[in-house]
Amino acid sequence: MKCIFFLFLGFSLTAFGQSIERQLYVRYFKSLYPYEPAVVREQQLEEVTEWRTDQWQHDTLTKRTKFAQFRSDGRPTFYTLKQPYGGDSLIYTFQYDSLNNLVEYKLWSSHNVSNRGIKYTAHYLFNYIGNRLQKVQLFAYDESWSSERMVYSDTLTYSVDLKYVTINNGKTVTKLQENGVFHGKLKAVDNEQEWKTSCHYKDTNLQIVRRFFKATCLSNALQASAKERHFFYETKMESALVYNEADFRKQTIGFYLDTVKKELFSKSVSSTSEPTSLEDRLTNTATLSHFTPSLLLDYTITTREVSRGNHEYSRDSIQTFYTYTPFGWKQQSIEYHYPTHQLVLRTNGAVSENQTYIPYYVLKEWLVWKRRD
């Protein structure tokens, strides 16, 4: 079997065309790593810090912080998620042996809020013979946090020719078989680009946009929009169509293609009703999303109107702009708010003209990184 070092170095939901190492990586390790190891390794990242805030104007209400440190092979040694409102921080620790195998993973918190001591959420142990994975065990504490209990224990048995592995946990038996021709090239199993295959969609609209942008696969956001029946505006792909943002108010929900600039827009609308002691409070929200030629979300414009019969009315709009790192991660998200008066009381059906505009911006997300010297 190939060295387990490549198992961890380097996603589809199926095992088609994947090596045994890749299938084991996806099954046991991929979800444990907060960032894709191949990207971390290729960019020689040593540390990554992320912040996300919920703010009113420039006053921070909540702040969620993520911090990770990495080995030179791209795998983490330490990762923490600091919760807002003084909540317990989540701490992820990774232990490796002298052969670079991941042997222990813990997810825990200090449990300072309730003063009940350390709280372990997940505890994995990985056993090897040399570099070959032999057993995977998952433990978790009981409700009293007084003792650990075993969630499962998988034992791996390899065939003589190393073409398949049998996984037995005492109740079920799973067989992973190598199937695919790799042309003598050892792919890094944690590199999503190397293992990505072209996606096929039943939805005609998704087929159109994938072909138009020559994309291998579409984002989850675009797929979800299609499921919600946000269809493309009727136009022939070969025609010169220029989409103007002024059309935002006129068009119904759906996707709109600018075939000249090769850009994609989408419009979504949602409505909610909240019962009150007088009349229901109705909220209508319309969002325009703009995607770049590489189908990254570029910016959104959201308009929100709230009314309660003849008693009150308010309206505001938010523009959110996104930037990305050279290696594709979201680097920054900034919101610009343009509210009218927060609450406009209505008298005899007439809307008060006394409205004030207080534009402000909110830095919602940002990411910084440090490379190795």
Side-chain angles (χ1 to χ4, degrees):
M1 167 167 284
K2 305 177 182 72
C3 180
I4 209 74
F5 179 76
F6 288 99
L7 167 64
F8 296 134
L9 288 185
F11 181 77
S12 66
L13 296 178
T14 67
F16 177 75
Q18 293 189 6
S19 65
I20 291 294
E21 294 91 337
R22 171 65 177 175
Q23 295 176 61
L24 292 177
Y25 169 81
V26 172
R27 184 182 182 93
Y28 293 117
F29 303 101
K30 183 176 184 294
S31 63
L32 305 184
Y33 299 147
Y35 301 92
E36 186 181 343
V39 177
V40 175
R41 181 173 64 256
E42 290 167 1
Q43 297 298 322
Q44 298 183 336
L45 301 180
E46 184 176 9
E47 297 178 357
V48 168
T49 306
E50 288 187 72
W51 290 271
R52 176 173 175 81
T53 61
D54 294 319
Q55 296 172 292
W56 172 251
Q57 298 192 29
H58 300 290
D59 297 325
T60 300
L61 299 179
T62 65
K63 184 175 181 180
R64 189 185 304 270
T65 307
K66 299 178 182 179
F67 175 75
Q69 292 178 318
F70 306 98
R71 294 157 47 101
S72 59
D73 60 20
R75 290 178 292 163
T77 57
F78 176 81
Y79 173 63
T80 181
L81 172 61
K82 183 179 180 181
Q83 304 283 23
Y85 298 113
D88 286 326
S89 295
L90 298 177
I91 301 171
Y92 306 72
T93 55
F94 305 80
Q95 298 294 327
Y96 303 87
D97 64 15
S98 59
L99 298 178
N100 294 314
N101 300 312
L102 176 65
V103 293
E104 186 174 27
Y105 163 92
K106 285 187 177 181
L107 168 58
W108 58 282
S109 67
S110 58
H111 219 41
N112 290 326
V113 174
S114 59
N115 298 316
R116 296 180 60 185
I118 294 176
K119 170 185 173 182
Y120 287 99
T121 304
H123 182 195
Y124 283 88
L125 292 178
F126 302 94
N127 296 316
Y128 306 81
I129 294 180
N131 290 119
R132 190 172 301 158
L133 183 65
Q134 297 292 319
K135 180 175 289 188
V136 178
Q137 295 175 305
L138 171 61
F139 299 87
Y141 267 69
D142 57 23
E143 294 181 358
S144 64
W145 308 111
S146 59
S147 61
E148 276 191 322
R149 61 179 177 83
M150 181 178 290
V151 179
Y152 71 78
S153 178
D154 285 356
T155 300
L156 287 72
T157 304
Y158 299 85
S159 64
V160 176
D161 58 4
L162 303 179
K163 292 296 184 180
Y164 67 86
V165 58
T166 302
I167 302 173
N168 191 328
N169 66 5
K171 296 181 180 179
T172 61
V173 176
T174 304
K175 183 177 179 179
L176 302 181
Q177 184 169 352
E178 182 167 303
N179 46 19
V181 180
F182 306 105
H183 304 291
K185 179 185 177 183
L186 183 59
K187 296 182 180 181
V189 297
D190 63 356
N191 191 330
E192 301 303 315
Q193 287 298 122
E194 286 198 357
W195 292 92
K196 186 178 290 185
T197 57
S198 182
C199 297
H200 300 281
Y201 303 105
K202 295 181 180 180
D203 189 282
T204 304
N205 299 314
L206 293 179
Q207 295 174 11
I208 292 174
V209 75
R210 190 182 74 81
R211 289 196 302 267
F212 183 79
F213 289 99
K214 298 179 181 179
T216 303
C217 293
L218 302 179
S219 69
N220 292 334
L222 291 179
Q223 296 181 56
S225 296
K227 290 181 180 179
E228 294 169 3
R229 309 184 74 82
H230 296 169
F231 297 115
F232 291 98
Y233 184 63
E234 293 182 4
T235 181
K236 293 183 178 180
M237 300 299 294
E238 63 270 14
S239 64
L241 172 68
V242 178
Y243 183 80
N244 192 314
E245 290 181 19
D247 296 334
F248 177 48
R249 289 182 173 274
K250 296 184 293 183
Q251 305 290 5
T252 58
I253 62 174
F255 285 109
Y256 305 89
L257 286 171
D258 186 323
T259 58
V260 176
K261 296 181 180 180
K262 291 193 174 181
E263 295 175 328
L264 178 68
F265 296 85
S266 71
K267 179 179 179 180
S268 61
V269 178
S270 63
S271 299
T272 60
S273 178
E274 176 190 359
T276 71
S277 58
L278 296 172
E279 298 180 64
D280 290 353
R281 181 177 287 111
L282 304 177
T283 302
N284 295 304
T285 305
T287 301
L288 172 69
S289 300
H290 172 255
F291 298 86
T292 66
S294 57
L295 294 181
L296 292 174
L297 182 58
D298 187 21
Y299 64 84
T300 61
I301 300 175
T302 301
T303 301
R304 181 172 175 269
E305 293 182 286
V306 180
S307 63
R308 188 172 59 133
N310 294 325
H311 304 282
E312 64 184 55
Y313 173 83
S314 64
R315 180 179 182 276
D316 63 82
S317 61
I318 302 173
Q319 295 187 39
T320 306
F321 296 87
Y322 302 90
T323 58
Y324 299 86
T325 67
F327 41 93
W329 294 353
K330 186 189 295 182
Q331 183 176 6
Q332 189 169 269
S333 169
I334 300 181
E335 287 185 359
Y336 291 87
H337 294 243
Y338 301 91
T340 58
H341 198 280
Q342 294 304 310
L343 181 66
V344 181
L345 298 180
R346 291 186 173 186
T347 305
N348 297 325
V351 179
S352 170
E353 297 296 332
N354 184 21
Q355 298 181 355
T356 58
Y357 293 85
I358 314 174
Y360 62 90
Y361 75 90
V362 174
L363 188 61
K364 298 289 289 188
E365 298 176 78
W366 66 103
L367 176 148
V368 296
W369 65 93
K370 175 185 176 183
R371 287 193 168 97
R372 298 183 181 278
D373 297 330

